[in-house]
Amino acid sequence: MLDINPRKIMSAAAGAAAVAAPVGALPLGQQRRELSPEAQKVAAEPIPAAYSPIVLAGFVRMFDAVLIAAIGIAIHLLYVFPTYGFEWYYLGANAGIAALAVIAFQAADVYDVHAFRTPVRQITRLGAAWTVVFLIAMSIAFFAKFEGMFSRVWLAGSYAVGFVALTGMRIVLAGVVRHWTQEGRLDRRAVVVGGGETGETLIEAIKVQHDTDVHVVGVFDDRGDERSPSTLAGRSKLGTVDDLVEFARRTRVDLVIFSLPISAEVRILQMLKKLWVLPVDIRLAAHSNKLRFRPRSYSYIGNVPVLDVFDKPITDWDVVMKWLFDKVVGSLILLAATPILAVTALAIKLDSRGPVFFKQKRYGFNNELIEVFKFRSMYVDQCDATASKLATRDDPRVTRVGRFIRKTSIDELPQLINVVIKGNLSLVGPRPHAVHAKAENRLYDEAVDGYFARHRVKPGITGWAQINGWRGETDTQEKIQRRVEHDLYYIENWSVLFDLYIMAKTPFALAKTENAY
């Protein structure tokens, strides 16, 4: 069985990198690999932001529940209330019918994105499920001897108006989903790794499925055209696996599918050593393998069986939860920290000439360059925007105010602007590093194999490494190695509770200033 342990891949990458990298070559993070004209053309196409079908279905469920409850309350207020006054048990009945309706609609399979595109078929299923809901509700009322408590006009009105409203909503939803589908917002952009007959068979199997959300944009293969043709099933070969890493950083790639047989373990591992640093789902197609596992061992892309290799971290509802956490908690912290920000800005102005803020290019999500805000802590003519030389103890470049705000990490507070307003940082995540930061005179990605895997999620102001003592100067390879190990642990084990724990521990970690200069 294929061993795809991330630690094995990370440790084994050292040998491959040493063989593959020529002397004097720029590290992966510093170079801009030249893509083929065809790959550049595909990467340059404007791609809108993707919407999660799972989150979309979740919002439709919530909207259905609110709409049904609101209709019941409205009919109660318009008809029942003027005659009998406000009856509290109607609220319970509304909530029960709304919850039962969502369960029934789920059982009728009307919360699938493909169903959203076909309103006629969906409305038929919805109408049947809606009728069953009211039959169940009336049966419960009859056997519990509650039928005399509820107005027949309220029941009939809730059923009729509810069906009309739900039908109208589905028609509108179908138009919106079709528009998003045409824009590609609900598609998963996929690339196939491995050409030849198996790659062509895989692409054809995906293309014939009309209800799939997978859109194959190209093929990548390390083999030459004599063994892997330049075009497979209408999709161009865009380059090698090394080109795929650069390609995925220039355009949106959601899914990587290996068309290689499981028996090609060595080739697959060599490719995974390069690809696992990307924030994508990686799957191994099993459509052509003679070795068959139990059905539960597979997931499916349409009807194509695949084995899950890596999952993109923090997806679907996790993205929503982390976004809400950053915006809500970040805004509260920014508001509470406003007096400290004002006093610090005044102190910097009085201490030395130059701007209050210092902007620095750092690595963000998927290795993108982002501009991070900090309070200026060095003399303006000695600021090091690229961090080619890290600050050390008693560094002459650091101002008097700078020494204090660096030790207390107050200089990092303006990064709340990145979290709340710009949205390119999270409150919690791997710390963003400057582009030329070094450990023992080696760039970080040269010192640590698999370094860029920490960029599979959005960077943060604080993180798991920082509260475990790996904060401040990274003058040795061990320090940056341990940081990366903690960052990868955080990525693999993320949860909102984990973020809350890190936030709660951060003030105590800031009290330890021995490594902060």
Side-chain angles (χ1 to χ4, degrees):
M1 189 63 182
L2 183 63
D3 184 359
I4 49 177
N5 186 288
R7 291 186 179 275
K8 176 180 176 181
I9 294 171
M10 182 175 175
S11 61
V19 173
V23 176
L26 287 172
L28 179 61
Q30 308 300 321
Q31 61 186 354
R32 294 289 292 179
R33 188 177 181 87
E34 188 65 29
L35 298 177
S36 67
E38 184 66 25
Q40 291 184 40
K41 179 181 177 182
V42 175
E45 294 175 355
I47 305 299
Y51 296 153
S52 167
I54 293 175
V55 175
L56 173 61
F59 276 114
V60 173
R61 290 185 186 93
M62 288 188 284
F63 189 86
D64 280 350
V66 171
L67 179 63
I68 292 167
I71 289 171
I73 292 172
I75 295 175
H76 174 265
L77 292 175
L78 292 173
Y79 180 80
V80 179
F81 177 75
T83 304
Y84 303 102
F86 191 80
E87 303 288 356
W88 289 98
Y89 53 82
Y90 276 91
L91 294 179
N94 277 330
I97 290 174
L100 186 60
V102 171
I103 295 172
F105 295 164
Q106 181 68 44
D109 201 24
V110 299
Y111 287 127
D112 185 84
V113 172
H114 305 303
F116 294 158
R117 300 188 183 103
T118 55
V120 174
R121 183 181 178 187
Q122 184 181 187
I123 290 169
T124 302
R125 291 185 177 185
L126 185 144
W130 185 237
T131 301
V132 169
V133 167
F134 270 80
L135 289 175
I136 294 173
M138 287 188 289
S139 298
I140 293 172
F142 174 78
F143 286 109
K145 297 183 179 180
F146 292 154
E147 70 273 12
M149 297 172 60
F150 294 97
S151 163
R152 290 179 175 82
V153 173
W154 178 80
L155 282 169
S158 296
Y159 174 79
V161 177
F163 179 70
V164 171
L166 289 168
T167 298
M169 194 271 279
R170 284 307 190 277
I171 294 172
V172 173
L173 178 64
V176 172
V177 169
R178 284 172 180 168
H179 177 67
W180 286 347
T181 301
Q182 291 173 356
E183 290 185 331
R185 293 186 182 275
L186 297 174
D187 285 344
R188 285 189 292 170
R189 287 169 56 83
V191 297
V192 171
V193 175
E197 183 178 346
T198 55
E200 187 167 22
T201 303
L202 172 63
I203 296 173
E204 290 288 2
I206 294 174
K207 287 172 63 177
V208 298
Q209 300 175 45
H210 300 293
D211 59 346
T212 182
D213 61 348
V214 174
H215 174 59
V216 178
V217 298
V219 180
F220 291 83
D221 198 339
D222 287 340
R223 297 174 295 179
D225 291 343
E226 67 280 358
R227 297 183 59 196
S228 175
S230 59
T231 303
L232 281 84
R235 297 294 184 266
S236 300
K237 187 169 77 172
L238 303 180
T240 65
V241 173
D242 286 324
D243 295 324
L244 172 53
V245 176
E246 177 65 23
F247 180 81
R249 286 173 176 159
R250 296 194 190 186
T251 188
R252 197 186 94 219
V253 174
D254 304 304
L255 178 64
V256 174
I257 312 172
F258 281 86
S259 66
L260 304 174
I262 295 176
S263 58
E265 178 178 359
V266 175
R267 284 188 63 200
I268 293 172
L269 283 175
Q270 288 175 343
M271 294 177 179
L272 286 176
K273 291 167 192 172
K274 302 173 183 178
L275 297 180
W276 79 292
V277 301
L278 296 174
V280 298
D281 293 326
I282 300 180
R283 302 289 183 260
L284 178 60
H287 66 295
S288 62
N289 291 318
K290 295 180 180 179
L291 179 62
R292 290 294 178 183
F293 302 102
R294 291 181 302 172
R296 290 183 180 180
S297 301
Y298 299 107
S299 59
Y300 289 86
I301 299 174
N303 296 322
V304 178
V306 295
L307 295 172
D308 296 349
V309 181
F310 285 121
D311 289 325
K312 181 180 178 180
I314 311 182
T315 58
D316 301 323
W317 282 108
D318 289 342
V319 174
V320 176
M321 294 300 295
K322 192 162 179 63
W323 183 87
L324 287 172
F325 181 85
D326 286 339
K327 296 302 180 183
V328 174
V329 179
S331 297
L332 293 174
I333 296 175
L334 182 60
L335 183 64
T338 299
I340 300 175
L341 293 170
V343 171
T344 304
L346 179 61
I348 292 171
K349 270 296 185 184
L350 294 175
D351 183 52
S352 62
R353 65 178 181 85
V356 169
F357 293 117
F358 171 64
K359 291 182 288 186
Q360 188 177 57
K361 295 288 186 181
R362 297 192 177 190
Y363 286 122
F365 173 70
N366 198 21
N367 233 43
E368 294 178 356
L369 285 180
I370 61 173
E371 198 169 57
V372 172
F373 289 93
K374 296 182 68 175
F375 277 127
R376 181 177 58 83
S377 58
M378 293 184 177
Y379 293 102
V380 68
D381 56 343
Q382 299 184 59
C383 287
D384 185 3
T386 62
S388 57
K389 179 184 177 183
L390 297 179
T392 58
R393 188 184 300 275
D394 299 322
D395 196 316
R397 299 175 299 167
V398 179
T399 65
R400 290 174 299 175
V401 171
R403 295 188 195 284
F404 176 77
I405 63 175
R406 290 176 75 94
K407 274 191 172 292
T408 56
S409 291
I410 291 176
D411 64 321
E412 309 284 358
L413 283 179
Q415 289 171 30
L416 289 167
I417 298 172
N418 289 94
V419 174
V420 177
I421 299 175
K422 301 193 72 173
N424 52 18
L425 282 187
S426 285
L427 287 174
V428 182
R431 286 289 298 139
H433 294 150
V435 292
H436 291 148
K438 296 178 182 179
E440 295 182 353
N441 292 320
R442 300 175 67 193
L443 293 165
Y444 285 166
D445 61 306
E446 293 176 322
V448 180
D449 298 308
Y451 168 79
F452 289 115
R454 67 195 298 276
H455 297 159
R456 288 181 294 158
V457 300
K458 195 182 296 185
I461 296 178
T462 185
W464 182 238
Q466 283 63 47
I467 69 167
N468 281 281
W470 302 104
R471 163 180 172 256
E473 186 181 15
T474 51
D475 55 335
T476 66
Q477 183 174 342
E478 181 195 5
K479 288 181 179 179
I480 187 60
Q481 176 78 38
R482 295 302 300 274
R483 269 199 190 185
V484 172
E485 289 174 359
H486 282 76
D487 291 338
L488 296 182
Y489 178 86
Y490 168 80
I491 292 171
E492 296 300 326
N493 295 276
W494 176 86
S495 70
V496 173
L497 290 178
F498 197 13
D499 275 2
L500 285 170
Y501 175 77
I502 293 172
M503 290 290 293
K505 293 279 289 185
T506 294
F508 301 99
L510 294 179
K512 300 175 182 179
T513 62
E514 59 270 15
N515 292 326
Y517 309 134

